[in-house]
Amino acid sequence: MIANIVKPGDNTYGVVKYLFDKGRANEHTNPHIVASWDDFIPDPGPFDSPGHKQRLGQLTKALDLRVKQAGDKAPDGHVWHCSVRAAPEDRILTDAEWATIARRILHATGIAPDGDPDGCRWVAVRHADDHIHIVATKVRGDLRPPRNWNDYHRAMTELTAVEKDFGLTQVRRGPEAADGTPAAKRPTRAEQEKAKRQGRDMTARERLRHTARAALSHAQDLDDFFNLLADAGLQVETRALPSGDLAGYKVALPGDTNREGQPVWYSGSKLASDLSLPQIRQRLAATEAPTAPADSPARNRRPNAWHQATAAAERIPHHFDHADDPTAQAHLTVFGELLYALPAHAPAHLKAELQRAALAFEHSAHTRARADHQHARALRSALKAMRHQPHGHTGLAMLLEAAILVVLATQRRSALRHHNRQVAAARQTLVHLQAAYDQIAPTSLAALARHRPTDGTVHQYVRTLHEVLPAHAEQILTENAWPALTTALAIAEAAGHKPATVLQQAAQQRPLGDAKSVSEVLVWRIQRLGERHAPGPTARAAQARSARAQTTSQTGSETPAAYAPPPARTSRSR
């Protein structure tokens, strides 16, 4: 729940009239009183009901009675107005529940303490399902002003307790967001109405913020970032200090003008805290150029950025469990950048679904931790390199499968911390990611299954599967992706890998408990492992001594290889 307290001045009638009017955009429906200082006060009812103006005048006169009695001692700006709004995902509260919430807010703020017969006069009006307005006149029965200092903080503190008591979404309190700086501002009512008049599905501020996030996910440096904003059709201006150093930037939507016909500009920090110039600089600087070992044949080849991004994403749940909050937040931030980048790489029929996933995850990634972006250099670097590498359906499906596991881990992490709003956002992200994955993965899996090895080879893989993964073997053999998995094993074996070793490495990379289909997870992992240079005798001996240690040390040396069915084989070494 969110409270908004304003001091509209001395015009009690004007405020009350607005609450019972139709609203600026006809948004007020069935306005009525849910609670007041006096249960017998007449309800003015809808603005077009008979006798409405008369009852409105009676209500105003009753609210202002003590103000009149106080005369010159009445405080300036004696009207106190507080709106209380539930979260979008909350259930619809009853009038009785809203009445209880109003009384608790009035008690907490000192406007009308419980059991105080001299408390200020007030009325709580509901004209929509999700919020109420509380109006009070700040003169007590003893004709003194109330002790309502720091009322906003006290109201928000009380709402935290209200959310727990009523089983509502627990909203993040205070003006801070994920990195400890002011959170992204919500669109104002005026911005929302303007978007509605223009037939847009989101406000200018929201559209600019989403465009800036997408540009940042692809940008290599600041110049690239500004060029991508311009390429997206935005108006961009930068501000420089007398020294020539860049001090800030601002953006505007073409055609979005004020009354004077001038563009409506938004600075980066007005879009979101993490889109300010200093924050963008930190994130762009937190990249690295992955390198292969000096003696590796992969050193002179171009790394497969899609495989590197998938491998880095798969490690994020481990960071959630074992790293500190700044490290975990860094990975949440860069994973959000990854989701914003995916629509540009996706087929046309998946773009909208992936855009919705990115928007939903934006809310799931918010915590109070300040991100240490240097800890997420590997994924951010792979993300930048993806821009210049084709992927095909397989690369995108592979990355989406890893992304689903990351969001599941994010949801679990938020639930343990009782961050209900982040849990709901993660759940919505999963819906969109799973929908996109379900549309693209079958194509790649079917292509692999068409090159399934011989029955004799498959039988050998069945035995290997029971030996290496006895707990998962029966499940894997019944899953639709089992034929594709046999092909992936055959391709890896043709490249010089032992099936048992590569299967064990794939299973040990990350836990399989969250996987919807274990066989699909193994397909993608074995494809990546199979494209690495096959280990020689010395390396194989080291793997035999310490398979788990070797698995965790092999990161970032993948090389691309075009898919081809394995050559016919007459024998296999076991």
Side-chain angles (χ1 to χ4, degrees), residues 213-220 224 228 340-342 344-345 384 387:
R213 290 196 189 284
L216 181 59
S217 69
H218 294 288
Q220 302 285 347
D224 197 19
L228 288 170
Y340 263 101
L342 288 182
H345 300 286
K384 306 304 181 185
R387 178 181 172 189

Side-chain angles (χ1 to χ4, degrees), residues 172 176-180 325 328-329 332 363-370 413-414 417 419 422:
R172 217 166 12 98
E176 296 187 347
D179 58 356
D325 282 350
Q329 184 59 46
L332 279 172
H363 299 288
S364 185
H366 285 332
T367 73
R368 289 187 177 276
R370 184 180 295 274
R413 181 174 184 264
S414 298
R417 297 173 176 227
H419 294 168
Q422 285 91 330

Side-chain angles (χ1 to χ4, degrees), residues 152-233:
Y152 176 78
H153 174 74
R154 291 153 71 181
M156 297 301 282
T157 300
E158 182 61 25
L159 285 181
T160 299
V162 167
E163 290 162 354
K164 294 178 181 178
D165 295 343
F166 284 75
L168 304 176
T169 301
Q170 292 180 263
V171 178
R172 217 166 12 98
R173 301 299 177 200
E176 296 187 347
D179 58 356
T181 54
K185 292 185 177 181
R186 293 185 175 186
T188 65
R189 173 67 64 82
E191 290 173 342
Q192 292 172 337
E193 293 177 357
K194 185 176 183 180
K196 186 177 180 180
R197 290 194 304 270
Q198 295 174 343
R200 295 176 175 174
D201 57 352
M202 61 177 66
T203 66
R205 186 195 301 269
E206 291 170 318
R207 186 179 295 274
L208 290 168
R209 180 166 67 244
H210 301 157
T211 303
R213 290 196 189 284
L216 181 59
S217 69
H218 294 288
Q220 302 285 347
D221 52 37
L222 273 178
D223 287 340
D224 197 19
F225 173 64
F226 295 136
N227 287 335
L228 288 170
L229 291 177
D231 290 343

Side-chain angles (χ1 to χ4, degrees), residues 161-450:
V162 167
E163 290 162 354
K164 294 178 181 178
D165 295 343
F166 284 75
L168 304 176
T169 301
Q170 292 180 263
V171 178
R172 217 166 12 98
R173 301 299 177 200
E176 296 187 347
D179 58 356
T181 54
K185 292 185 177 181
R186 293 185 175 186
T188 65
R189 173 67 64 82
E191 290 173 342
Q192 292 172 337
E193 293 177 357
K194 185 176 183 180
K196 186 177 180 180
R197 290 194 304 270
Q198 295 174 343
R200 295 176 175 174
D201 57 352
M202 61 177 66
T203 66
R205 186 195 301 269
E206 291 170 318
R207 186 179 295 274
L208 290 168
R209 180 166 67 244
H210 301 157
T211 303
R213 290 196 189 284
L216 181 59
S217 69
H218 294 288
Q220 302 285 347
D221 52 37
L222 273 178
D223 287 340
D224 197 19
F225 173 64
F226 295 136
N227 287 335
L228 288 170
L229 291 177
D231 290 343
L234 303 189
Q235 294 179 260
V236 185
E237 286 192 5
T238 58
R239 179 171 58 88
L241 297 171
S243 62
D245 295 332
L246 187 64
Y249 75 99
K250 60 183 180 180
V251 290
L253 280 179
D256 183 31
T257 59
N258 57 23
R259 292 180 179 178
E260 289 73 35
Q262 299 298 315
V264 180
W265 294 100
Y266 294 84
S267 66
S269 60
K270 293 296 184 182
L271 299 178
S273 61
D274 59 339
L275 293 177
S276 68
L277 184 62
Q279 284 292 315
I280 287 176
R281 277 180 165 145
Q282 289 181 24
R283 290 158 72 175
L284 290 175
T287 58
E288 64 184 10
T291 56
D295 58 349
S296 170
R299 186 170 181 84
N300 295 321
R301 304 177 194 170
R302 191 179 187 185
N304 187 317
W306 286 82
H307 287 189
Q308 290 181 321
T310 303
E314 282 191 331
R315 290 192 290 272
I316 292 178
H318 174 82
H319 295 306
F320 287 167
D321 294 336
H322 299 93
D324 56 16
D325 282 350
T327 299
Q329 184 59 46
H331 288 285
L332 279 172
T333 301
V334 73
F335 182 72
E337 294 177 24
L338 174 67
L339 294 185
Y340 263 101
L342 288 182
H345 300 286
H349 68 285
L350 293 184
K351 289 183 183 294
E353 202 74 67
L354 293 176
Q355 286 169 350
R356 287 191 284 267
L359 295 179
F361 190 78
E362 206 177 298
H363 299 288
S364 185
H366 285 332
T367 73
R368 289 187 177 276
R370 184 180 295 274
D372 186 350
H373 297 296
Q374 297 300 319
H375 288 285
R377 293 167 65 96
L379 179 53
R380 185 171 281 108
S381 300
L383 172 59
K384 306 304 181 185
M386 283 165 48
R387 178 181 172 189
H388 306 289
Q389 289 190 8
H391 58 82
H393 283 187
T394 299
L396 182 57
M398 184 183 302
L399 188 49
L400 284 176
E401 184 276 329
I404 289 170
L405 298 183
V406 173
V407 179
L408 282 169
T410 303
Q411 179 179 323
R412 183 167 55 248
R413 181 174 184 264
S414 298
L416 291 173
R417 297 173 176 227
H418 304 290
H419 294 168
N420 295 340
R421 191 167 189 176
Q422 285 91 330
V423 170
R427 189 179 299 120
Q428 192 61 41
T429 307
L430 282 172
V431 170
H432 299 303
L433 287 180
Q434 190 67 58
Y437 177 81
D438 289 344
Q439 291 182 65
I440 196 170
T443 302
S444 296
L445 294 172
L448 282 172
R450 286 196 293 269

Side-chain angles (χ1 to χ4, degrees), residues 13-86:
Y13 180 83
V15 177
V16 175
K17 180 177 182 294
Y18 164 74
L19 297 184
F20 287 93
D21 202 350
K22 61 182 179 180
R24 296 186 180 96
N26 297 315
E27 71 275 14
H28 297 176
T29 58
N30 187 27
H32 59 281
I33 295 174
V34 296
S36 68
W37 88 99
D38 183 354
D39 292 335
F40 299 101
I41 194 69
D43 190 322
F47 71 95
D48 55 356
S49 61
H52 169 76
K53 289 186 178 180
Q54 181 182 2
R55 290 189 297 273
L56 198 66
Q58 291 173 348
L59 174 58
T60 303
K61 187 175 181 179
L63 284 169
D64 277 343
L65 176 63
R66 291 172 178 171
V67 178
K68 300 295 185 183
Q69 292 173 342
D72 294 341
K73 294 183 179 179
D76 293 332
H78 63 259
V79 181
W80 186 86
H81 179 195
C82 173
S83 62
V84 184
R85 186 179 299 273

